[in-house]
Amino acid sequence: MCFLVQGTKKTSELQRCIAKITQKVLIQQLRELEKDGIVNRTVFNQLPPKVEYSITEYCLTLNSIIDRMCAWGKDNIAFIKKQGEDIELIEKNYHFK
């Protein structure tokens, strides 16, 4: 959702944004978000097939929840690193409109 708030993206664009995610897992997650009404999926009838994803108006209602989750994650990076986990924080403003 954080990447989609910046604008509509193709599957391949989203896959490049999310480190180490497989296409299969990404598509599964996007389909679940679509089913929940959080993501729009637009299929273009062309060859090769083209699919684009965008956020829904309903997704925008999650703004305060997403902001709080991001803040919690940032606050806990130091703790997780002390546990020995290697974390790369992609620092961008993903604030929902």
Side-chain angles (χ1 to χ4, degrees), residues 42-56:
T42 305
V43 180
F44 296 88
N45 191 17
Q46 67 182 47
L47 287 175
K50 179 180 171 184
V51 179
E52 290 183 342
Y53 294 92
S54 59
I55 59 170
T56 64

Side-chain angles (χ1 to χ4, degrees), residues 50-72:
K50 179 180 171 184
V51 179
E52 290 183 342
Y53 294 92
S54 59
I55 59 170
T56 64
E57 289 293 319
Y58 177 63
C59 179
L60 296 176
T61 65
L62 298 170
N63 182 25
S64 61
I65 295 167
I66 299 296
D67 285 346
R68 291 187 74 187
M69 287 174 57
C70 290
W72 179 89

Side-chain angles (χ1 to χ4, degrees), residues 15-95:
Q15 191 170 4
R16 283 191 295 271
C17 292
I18 305 168
K20 300 180 184 178
I21 193 165
T22 65
Q23 186 176 17
K24 178 184 176 187
V25 171
L26 175 61
I27 290 171
Q28 286 173 340
Q29 293 296 307
L30 287 167
R31 294 254 169 101
E32 286 181 27
L33 291 169
E34 180 187 15
K35 181 181 166 197
D36 293 336
I38 294 171
V39 168
N40 285 318
R41 179 176 179 257
T42 305
V43 180
F44 296 88
N45 191 17
Q46 67 182 47
L47 287 175
K50 179 180 171 184
V51 179
E52 290 183 342
Y53 294 92
S54 59
I55 59 170
T56 64
E57 289 293 319
Y58 177 63
C59 179
L60 296 176
T61 65
L62 298 170
N63 182 25
S64 61
I65 295 167
I66 299 296
D67 285 346
R68 291 187 74 187
M69 287 174 57
C70 290
W72 179 89
K74 287 179 185 179
D75 291 343
N76 287 281
I77 290 289
F79 174 76
I80 294 169
K81 282 187 174 184
K82 286 180 185 177
Q83 302 289 323
E85 193 171 331
D86 185 27
I87 296 176
E88 179 184 347
L89 179 62
I90 301 171
E91 189 71 40
K92 293 184 180 181
N93 286 331
Y94 296 118
H95 195 63

